[in-house]
Amino acid sequence: MTQGPSRRAVIAAAMAAPALVAARGGERVQPNWPSLVQHYRYPDWFRDAKFGIWSHWGPQAVPEQGDWYGRFLYMQGHPMADFHRKTYGHPTKFGMKDLFPLWKADRWEPEALMQRFVKAGAKYFVSLATHHDNLDCFDSSHHAWNTTRIGPKRDVVGTWERAARAAGLRFGVSNHISHAWHWYQPAYGYDPVGPRKGERYDAYRLTAADGRGQWWDGLDPQELYTGRHAVAPDGIDSIEAMNAWHDKHNGQWIETPPPGDRRFVRQWLLRQQELIEKYKPDLCYFDNHELPFGQTGLEAAAHYYNRSIDWHGKIDVVLTAKQLKPYARFGVVQDVERGFADKLWDEPWQTDTCIGDWFYNRSRFTDRSYKSAEDVVQRLADVVSKNGNLLLSVPQGGDGSIDAEEERILDDLAGWMAVNGEAIFGSRPWRVYGEGPTQLTAGMQNEGAFKGFDERDVRFTVNGGALYVLFLKRPARPVTIAALAGKRVARATLLGGGPVTVAQRAGGLAVTVPAGGRFVPVVKLEGAGLF
C-alpha cells in the first residue's frame, strides 16, 4: 500500500480519460470511475468508528478445519481432503453441498454475541452474506441455495442486522460470490491416484433430476457449483500434476467473468442489488481487486451509492475494495487484507484481519495460536494512527458459538477499550503517525512474516484537543520521542491512572510510564504547543 496522488489529481486524470467519461447530468452517480470519484465522500461515522467486528461465518465452519475447505476437500493429498474422506466420505458421494445441512447454528446467540462485541469496542458489525462456496446467507430471491431453505433455515444476514442495529452499531455485509466460478472448479475433478482414480466428483455428475428423494430435492447442483468453466481433463495421473493444473487454470485471483457465461454475472448483480435493497447496509465489503466483472461491478457500486442518496439524502455508506489503481482511489474505500500500511494516508481506509483463520479452525484453540488482545490493540493503534479502521473477524464454529479462548480475548479487549477508548474512537491522525525502529512493509497478506513491535514503537492520535501517545509494547525504561522534541506539554496523564513523567532531552521528549501494567499503555498529552 503506497501513497498515491491527491483526490484532485485523481479526478482530473479520470475525467481526462475518454474511455471513462460519461454524462454528468443530475445528482445520480453514474457507473464509471470518474463519477464514483467525483461523488464519493467518506462518511463521518466511518471516520469516527475505527473498529468493527466481522462474522465471517458459513458452512465451511462445520468441519472446524479453517479456510477454503470447500475447495481443498476436492484436492487429493491436501490435509482437508484427507480429513473429509475420513470424516464424511469420498467427494464423489459427499461433496461441499452435503455439508450445508450440517450447518445447524444450534448454539448461535446473536444478541448475546453482539453485546460482547460492543463491550470489546466494536462500532460497526459486518455479516458475511455469501462466500466462494456460493451459499447465500440471506433471504435470496435469485439463488435457491440460501440459508432460508438450507442449513440454519434462517435469514442469517437479517438476524445479524437486527441484532447490530438494536445494539446501536452500524451494519455491513460482505460479498465474495464473484470468485465462486473458478474457486469451485476442483469439484468437477477427480482423484489422480488411488482406488477411485479418474472417478469424477459430485459437481461433475449431478443435475437437478438426481435430487429426487434427496435432501436437496428441487435444487440444481450446477447452480451451486457454477458449471464447467475450467475442468481438469482426463488422464492426469499424479497429485502434483493435478495441483499444478488447478493452480494454472482455476487457482488465480481474477476479476473477469467466467468464459461464455454471462448468466453468472447477471445473477451476481441481481443478488448484490437485492442484498443492498433488503438490508440497507452501511458498509459493503467486496472481496475483489477493485470491482468485479468490469462494467457490472461499476453498476453495482453506482446502485449502492444512489440507494444511499435515496435513504440518507447523501452518500453515507462505505464500499470497500482492494488493490486500487490511481483512477479508482477516492471512489471506494481501500481495504488491505491481513497487511500493513507504511504511511499516513490522506483518506480513510481499512485493514481486515482475523484472530485465527477466516473460518473456524479448532486447532487455533487447542494449540493456543490465536492473536492475543495485545496483538489486536497493537494493530488497531497502528492502523488508526495512519487514518485507517480495523475490521476484526472472530470465527464462530458451525454451531454458532465462539470458544473460551475467543471469549477471553474479547474480554481483554473490553478491558483495554474501557480505559483507553478515548485515544481511538472519534480520533484523527496527528501530523505524523508515529515512530520507532520497527519498519512495516506495505501490502496485503504479509502479516504472517511480522515479528512484532519494539518498546520504542509509538503511535499518535488526536482527540478533543489532546495528543495521545500509544506505546505498542509496554516500555521498561524511558522512551525518547523525537517527533515531540521542543513541544511544550502542560499536562501528561497515563490513561487508567499511575505515575507518568515527561522531560525534554536533547533527542526529544522522554516519557516514562510504570512497568508491569496493561498492554499498550496510552499517555494523554495536553498543551497548546503540541499542535
Side-chain angles (χ1 to χ4, degrees), residues 398-525:
D399 63 7
S401 66
I402 61 174
D403 63 44
E405 185 67 11
E406 292 177 296
E407 290 180 345
R408 186 184 66 79
I409 292 167
L410 288 170
D411 289 345
D412 288 346
L413 283 175
W416 189 91
M417 296 293 186
V419 173
N420 301 289
E422 66 184 80
I424 299 295
F425 306 117
S427 71
R428 296 293 184 266
W430 194 44
R431 58 181 180 83
V432 296
Y433 69 82
E435 64 183 50
T438 303
Q439 299 298 307
L440 297 175
T441 301
M444 287 176 37
Q445 306 287 6
N446 64 2
E447 68 179 21
F450 178 63
K451 302 302 183 184
F453 289 105
D454 184 274
E455 65 179 22
R456 294 166 291 171
D457 290 318
V458 298
R459 297 294 183 265
F460 304 119
T461 62
V462 174
N463 201 359
L467 175 64
Y468 294 86
V469 183
L470 298 93
F471 295 83
L472 300 189
K473 290 289 289 184
R474 192 173 195 98
R477 56 190 62 82
V479 175
T480 299
I481 303 172
L484 296 175
K487 299 294 184 182
R488 295 191 303 276
V489 177
R491 174 183 294 185
T493 308
L494 179 67
L495 298 188
V500 58
T501 62
V502 298
Q504 284 293 347
R505 298 286 186 260
L509 184 72
V511 182
T512 305
V513 300
R518 184 180 297 274
F519 55 82
V520 189
V522 180
V523 173
K524 179 179 182 179
L525 301 179

Side-chain angles (χ1 to χ4, degrees), residues 349-369:
W349 57 284
Q350 178 178 266
T351 284
D352 65 280
T353 191
C354 184
I355 62 171
D357 293 3
W358 290 122
F359 284 106
Y360 189 81
N361 187 341
R362 175 59 59 174
S363 67
R364 292 285 191 173
F365 174 71
T366 57
D367 63 18
R368 301 181 69 86
S369 61

Side-chain angles (χ1 to χ4, degrees), residues 278-353:
K278 278 191 172 178
Y279 306 101
K280 298 182 179 179
D282 302 293
L283 180 147
C284 181
Y285 173 107
F286 277 170
D287 193 4
N288 298 95
H289 295 178
E290 293 185 6
L291 300 175
F293 305 143
Q295 185 61 33
T296 303
L298 290 165
E299 290 175 19
H303 168 265
Y304 186 31
Y305 289 172
N306 285 325
R307 295 304 287 132
S308 178
I309 293 170
D310 295 338
W311 304 329
H312 309 297
K314 62 180 180 179
I315 298 177
D316 197 41
V317 296
V318 170
L319 177 63
T320 72
K322 305 169 186 179
Q323 303 285 65
L324 301 183
K325 297 181 179 67
Y327 61 75
R329 188 180 170 207
F330 303 111
V332 297
V333 172
Q334 174 102 267
D335 182 88
V336 180
E337 181 179 349
R338 287 195 184 271
F340 299 96
D342 60 354
K343 292 180 174 67
L344 169 57
W345 268 57
D346 294 332
E347 72 274 22
W349 57 284
Q350 178 178 266
T351 284
D352 65 280
T353 191

Side-chain angles (χ1 to χ4, degrees), residues 193-248:
V193 298
R196 307 192 77 153
K197 176 180 178 178
E199 187 178 346
R200 293 281 179 175
Y201 301 141
D202 64 328
Y204 191 92
R205 300 179 297 100
L206 296 176
T207 67
D210 296 305
R212 295 193 186 106
Q214 304 294 321
W215 71 263
W216 47 278
D217 196 348
L219 298 172
D220 184 355
Q222 297 310 308
E223 290 290 327
L224 174 70
Y225 291 123
T226 78
R228 300 180 186 182
H229 300 298
V231 176
D234 294 335
I236 298 176
D237 58 4
S238 75
I239 290 173
E240 294 76 15
M242 181 66 81
N243 288 341
W245 195 95
H246 284 311
D247 287 345
K248 180 178 180 180

Side-chain angles (χ1 to χ4, degrees), residues 258-276:
D261 187 0
R262 293 300 303 178
R263 183 179 184 277
F264 182 84
V265 177
R266 289 194 300 272
Q267 289 298 108
W268 176 88
L269 182 60
L270 289 171
R271 290 157 74 184
Q272 165 63 18
Q273 289 177 334
E274 182 173 43
L275 186 61
I276 297 303

